[in-house]
C-alpha cells in the first residue's frame, strides 16, 4: 500500500540490518503495528557458528537500558550482564586502583556479550509475529524514486528486486543506505579515520569459571599513546582489547612477529600477559579492527528512507556509547511517532533534528574519552578533579554533574552534556589548578562559580 496523500502511514517497513539497533527498532515498530521485513547480510547467528563481528562484548548503560525496559526486555537482558562499578587501572608495575564511575549504587555500567544480546533482540523481534528476518541477503542498490531495492543472496548470488514503502537503514558503519542517500543529495558523508586500530585478545576463565581479575570492573592498562582494556564475560573470561596507533615506533605496524609482540607486552602489560599464555598466537590470528567516525549530512529522504544507529553516526568506542546511542535513537523515534500519531511525514525532519546534533556531540566526546582513558587518567591532577567533581555533585546535586555521569547515567541530551561538561572543565580548572589536594578546595568560590555558570 502506498503512503497516504495527506501524511504518511506505511503499513510495511523494510529494515536493512538485524544488528543490535535494527533488531531493537523492529520490536518497537512491530509493537506499533507495522509489518517489518529485515534484510540481513549475515547468516542467522542463532543457528550458524559465526561471530557477531567486531567487539565481543560491550558496555551497556542507561541510554540503552531505558528502551530495553520500555519494551519489557530488560528482565531477560539482566540474565546476561555483569555490572562494572568503575575503572580498574593497572600500572606498569601491576599495581591496581579502582576509580568508581559514580557515587550512587545504581551508577554502574554493564558488560554484555554482543552476540547474546543480538540473538535475544532478534528473537524478541520475531516473537512479535510481525517481523520477518531474511538472512544471508545483502542490499545492493537503491532506487528511491521507484521505491525499489535490489537484493543479493550472499551464497548463491541470486538477485531479487524488492519494493519498499519505507526503508530504514540500520546497516552499520559501512551503510549502503547511507551511501545511496549521500548520492541522492550529492553530498558525501565524511568518514574520519582515527589512525588507531584495535585487536582483541582473551584472558581465559580460571578453575570452575572463576574470574582471574576483579569481575565487576572495566580494566584499563593506560599507557599514554596506547592502552589495553578488559571487560568480563559471564563464563569467567575477559575480552581484552588493545588500542594503538597504526604506524610508528609503538604501533600495530611495529608488532610484526612473536618476538616484538612478547617484548612489547612484557614491557607494558606484564601482569596481563601472565594470564594470557597464548596471547601472541591470538594476536596474529585475530583481525585488526578499524576505528573511525562517520559524519553524515543527510539522515533521511523525505517520506521514503531514514538512517539509524551506526549507519547514521558511527563513532569511536571509547565512551561505550555507539550501541547505547543507537538504542536511544530508537527510543526517540518511537516518542516522535507517538507525538505525531504515526504520521511519518513530520517525523523524518523532527527525528534528524533531534538526533543529529546529539550524534555529533557523542562522537566528539568519544574521541576525547580515548585521550582520557589512555593518558589523562594517569595524571594526579585528573584524579584530583575527579574527586572534587564528585564532591561538587554531592554538595550541589541539582546543579553539578560530572560529564561522564551525564553521558552514562542520565538521559540529558548528549549535546547538552557536552556543553555543560565544558563549563565543568572550567570550574574544575579554576578550583584545582592552584591546589594539590581535595581538602584545599575553596568551596565558597566553587559555589559562586557553579551558581554563576550552571545555575
Ligand atoms: P551493526 O552492529 O554494525 O549492525 C549492522 C547490521 O547490518 C549487521 O548485522 C550487518 O551484517 C548488517 N548489514 C551491513 N550491511 C548490510 C547490507 N548491505 N545488507 C544487509 N545487511 C547489512 N557501543 C556501546 O554502546 N558500548 C560499547 O562498549 C561499545 N564498544 C565497542 C567496541 C568496539 C571495539 C567497537 C568497534 C564498537 C563498540 N561499540 C560499543 C559500538 C557498537 O558496536 C555499535 O554502535 C553498534 O554495534 C551499532 O549497532 P548497529 O545495529 O547500528 O550496527
Amino acid at each position: 500500500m502506498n503512503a497516504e496523500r495527506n501524511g504518511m502511514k506505511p503499513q510495511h517497513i523494510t529494515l536493512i540490518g538485524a544488528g543490535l539497533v535494527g533488531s531493537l527498532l523492529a520490536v518497537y515498530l512491530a509493537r506499533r503495528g507495522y509489518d517489518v521485513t529485515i534484510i540481513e547480510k549475515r547468516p542467522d547467528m542463532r543457528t550458524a557458528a559465526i561471530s557477531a563481528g567486531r567487539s565481543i562484548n560491550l558496555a551497556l548503560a542507561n541510554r540503552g537500558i531505558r528502551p530495553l525496559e520500555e519494551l519489557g526486555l530488560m528482565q531477560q537482558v539482566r540474565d546476561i550482564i555483569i555490572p562494572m562499578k568503575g575503572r580498574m587501572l593497572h600500572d606498569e608495575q601491576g599495581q591496581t586502583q579502582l576509580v568508581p564511575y559514580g557515587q550512587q549504587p545504581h551508577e554502574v555500567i554493564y558488560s554484555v556479550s554482543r552476540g547474546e544480546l543480538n540473538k535475544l533482540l532478534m528473537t524478541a523481534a520475531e516473537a512479535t509475529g510481525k517481523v520477518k528476518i531474511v538472512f544471508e541477503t545483502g542490499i545492493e542498490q537503491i532506487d528511491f524514486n521507484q521505491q525499489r531495492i535490489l537484493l543479493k543472496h550472499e551464497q548463491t548470488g541470486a538477485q531479487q528486486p524488492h519494493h519498499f514503502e519505507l526503508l530504514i537503514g540500520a546497516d552499520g558503519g559501512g551503510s549502503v543506505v547511507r551511501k545511496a542517500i549521500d548520492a541522492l543529495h550529492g553530498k558525501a558523508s565524511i568518514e574520519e579515520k582515527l589512525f588507531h586500530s584495535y585487536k582483541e585478545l582473551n584472558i581465559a576463565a580460571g578453575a570452575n569459571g572463576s574470574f582471574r581479575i576483579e569481575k565487576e570492573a572495566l580494566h584499563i592498562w593506560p599507557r599514554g599513546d596506547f592502552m589495553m582494556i578488559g571487560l568480563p564475560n559471564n563464563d569467567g573470561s575477559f575480552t581484552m582489547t588493545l588500542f594503538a596507533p597504526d604506524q610508528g615506533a609503538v604501533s600495530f605496524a611495529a608488532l610484526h612477529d612473536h618476538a616484538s609482540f612478547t617484548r612489547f607486552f612484557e614491557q607494558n602489560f606484564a601482569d596481563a600477559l601472565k594470564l594470557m599464555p597464548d596471547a601472541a598466537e591470538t594476536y596474529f590470528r585475530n583481525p585488526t579492527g578499524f576505528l573511525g567516525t562517520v559524519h553524515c549530512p543527510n539522515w533521511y529522504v523525505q517520506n521514503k528512507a531514514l538512517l539509524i544507529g551506526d549507519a547514521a553516526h558511527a563513532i569511536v568506542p571509547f565512551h561505550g556509547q555507539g550501541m547505547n546511542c543507537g538504542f536511544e535513537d530508537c527510543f526517540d523515534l518511537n516518542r516522535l511517532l507517538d507525538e505525531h500519531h504515526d504520521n511519518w511525514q513530520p517525523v523524518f525532519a523532527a527525528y534528524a533534528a533531534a538526533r543529529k546534533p546529539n550524534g555529533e556531540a557523542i562522537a566528539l566526546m568519544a574521541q576525547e574519552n580515548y585521550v582520557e582513558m589512555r593518558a589523562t587518567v594517569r595524571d594526579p591532577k585528573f584524579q584530583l578533579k575527579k574527586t572534587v567533581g564528585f564532591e561538587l555533585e554531592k554538595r550541589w546535586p541539582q546543579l553539578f554533574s560530572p560529564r561522564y555521569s551525564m553521558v552514562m547515567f542520565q538521559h540529558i541530551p548528549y549535546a547538552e552534556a557536552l556543553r555543560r561538561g565544558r563549563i565543568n572543565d572550567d570550574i574544575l580548572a579554576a578550583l584545582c589548578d592552584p591546589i594539590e589536594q581535595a581538602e584545599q578546595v575553596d568551596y565558597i568560590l566553587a559555589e559562586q562559580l557553579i551558581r554563576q555558570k550552571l545555575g
Side-chain angles (χ1 to χ4, degrees):
M1 193 206 251
N2 282 324
E4 288 177 4
R5 195 175 290 274
N6 296 321
M8 198 216 172
K9 293 192 177 174
Q11 290 193 333
H12 182 268
I13 293 175
T14 305
L15 191 45
I16 310 300
L20 294 164
V21 175
S23 302
L24 183 84
L25 181 63
V27 182
Y28 265 119
L29 294 172
R31 298 268 177 94
R32 302 194 71 85
Y34 298 102
D35 292 311
V36 181
T37 301
I38 311 187
I39 308 297
E40 170 54 54
K41 203 151 82 162
R42 294 179 308 209
D44 186 349
M45 65 175 86
R46 293 165 298 181
T47 50
I50 55 156
S51 112
R54 298 195 288 163
S55 62
I56 290 168
N57 53 23
L58 304 161
L60 173 68
N62 257 21
R63 290 170 202 269
I65 291 172
R66 182 165 62 163
L68 291 169
E69 269 170 352
E70 183 171 66
L71 291 167
L73 299 173
M74 198 52 205
Q75 196 66 15
Q76 288 175 62
V77 173
R78 288 218 181 270
D79 292 341
I80 58 168
I81 59 180
I82 300 176
M84 297 184 291
K85 295 175 179 156
R87 293 169 171 162
M88 182 68 83
L89 304 179
H90 295 246
D91 72 13
E92 283 86 343
Q93 285 70 46
Q95 301 294 319
T96 56
Q97 182 199 355
L98 182 71
V99 182
Y101 279 131
Q103 311 201 65
Q104 310 289 335
H106 67 272
E107 290 183 335
V108 300
I109 58 175
Y110 298 90
S111 177
V112 65
S113 150
R114 174 194 288 276
E116 291 309 309
L117 182 59
N118 207 153
K119 288 180 201 170
L120 188 157
L121 292 175
M122 286 194 291
T123 300
E126 286 174 340
T128 61
K130 295 183 78 65
V131 177
K132 180 171 177 244
I133 310 179
V134 181
F135 289 101
E136 295 189 74
T137 302
I139 181 169
E140 288 279 295
Q141 278 172 25
I142 306 175
D143 181 338
F144 291 110
N145 280 334
Q146 301 293 320
Q147 296 186 222
R148 191 169 302 158
I149 54 179
L150 185 64
L151 304 177
K152 184 172 156 199
H153 194 272
E154 290 292 300
Q155 300 302 324
T156 63
Q159 294 192 332
Q160 199 194 339
H162 168 96
H163 177 266
F164 66 85
E165 274 185 79
L166 170 60
L167 184 73
I168 300 187
D171 49 341
S175 174
V176 170
V177 182
R178 183 180 71 241
K179 285 173 188 149
I181 293 179
D182 283 355
L184 188 75
H185 289 104
K187 192 156 187 215
S189 293
I190 296 166
E191 295 176 8
E192 185 190 350
K193 215 172 167 240
L194 185 66
F195 299 109
H196 284 228
S197 296
Y198 73 96
K199 177 90 84 171
E200 288 191 341
L201 302 169
N202 183 261
I203 292 183
N208 304 319
S210 59
F211 292 83
R212 292 156 78 201
I213 50 178
E214 168 59 40
K215 175 185 174 188
E216 294 192 348
L218 191 154
H219 294 262
I220 311 184
W221 287 255
R223 297 293 180 263
D225 210 25
F226 59 96
M227 68 175 183
M228 185 164 68
I229 67 168
L231 271 73
N233 296 311
N234 267 319
D235 64 358
S237 67
F238 285 81
T239 302
M240 312 293 284
T241 313
L242 172 68
F243 294 95
D246 294 334
Q247 301 291 332
V250 177
S251 68
F252 282 104
L255 301 180
H256 45 77
D257 57 13
H258 278 225
S260 53
F261 173 87
T262 307
R263 211 168 35 243
F264 174 71
F265 263 63
E266 275 171 353
Q267 234 169 43
N268 292 291
F269 310 117
D271 57 341
L273 187 61
K274 284 196 193 109
L275 302 172
M276 302 189 288
D278 50 3
E281 286 73 27
T282 316
Y283 179 89
F284 288 105
R285 193 175 57 238
N286 281 354
T288 309
F290 163 89
L291 295 168
T293 305
V294 170
H295 305 275
C296 172
N298 296 293
W299 283 32
Y300 66 94
V301 179
Q302 184 63 38
N303 288 356
K304 290 181 179 163
L306 64 82
L307 298 172
I308 198 156
D310 273 20
H313 51 65
I315 61 178
V316 293
F318 305 107
H319 224 307
Q321 279 292 309
M323 164 190 67
N324 287 290
C325 178
F327 283 8
E328 195 176 64
D329 289 346
C330 301
F331 182 88
D332 281 4
L333 180 60
N334 188 54
R335 277 282 168 285
L336 287 167
L337 288 169
D338 279 346
E339 239 172 70
H340 296 281
H341 309 289
D342 285 84
N343 174 7
W344 284 74
Q345 197 152 22
V347 166
F348 291 87
Y351 162 77
R355 296 306 300 165
K356 205 164 148 2
N358 288 313
E360 288 296 338
I362 187 57
L364 181 60
M365 291 191 283
Q367 288 170 342
E368 291 177 358
N369 225 43
Y370 186 29
V371 183
E372 177 173 316
M373 287 174 85
R374 64 179 157 81
T376 328
V377 86
R378 305 197 297 177
D379 178 354
K381 255 302 177 289
F382 170 84
Q383 310 261 1
L384 174 66
K385 286 180 180 171
K386 194 100 195 149
T387 310
V388 173
F390 278 161
E391 188 55 36
L392 299 184
E393 186 184 32
K394 260 194 216 147
R395 291 179 186 229
W396 297 283
Q398 305 304 326
L399 294 177
F400 188 94
S401 201
R403 185 170 97 176
Y404 187 86
S405 304
M406 287 190 274
V407 172
M408 302 305 273
F409 307 133
Q410 301 174 21
H411 300 295
I412 144 172
Y414 289 118
E416 182 61 4
L418 176 64
R419 189 188 73 80
R420 294 179 75 91
R422 292 277 185 261
I423 299 173
N424 288 359
D425 288 345
D426 290 347
I427 294 174
L428 288 169
L431 297 175
C432 297
D433 284 354
I435 62 170
E436 298 301 324
Q437 288 172 355
E439 296 73 43
Q440 300 168 311
V441 170
D442 177 348
Y443 284 108
I444 297 175
L445 175 64
E447 180 163 15
Q448 265 172 17
L449 291 173
I450 288 177
R451 293 206 182 279
Q452 182 194 332
K453 292 171 183 271
L454 292 168

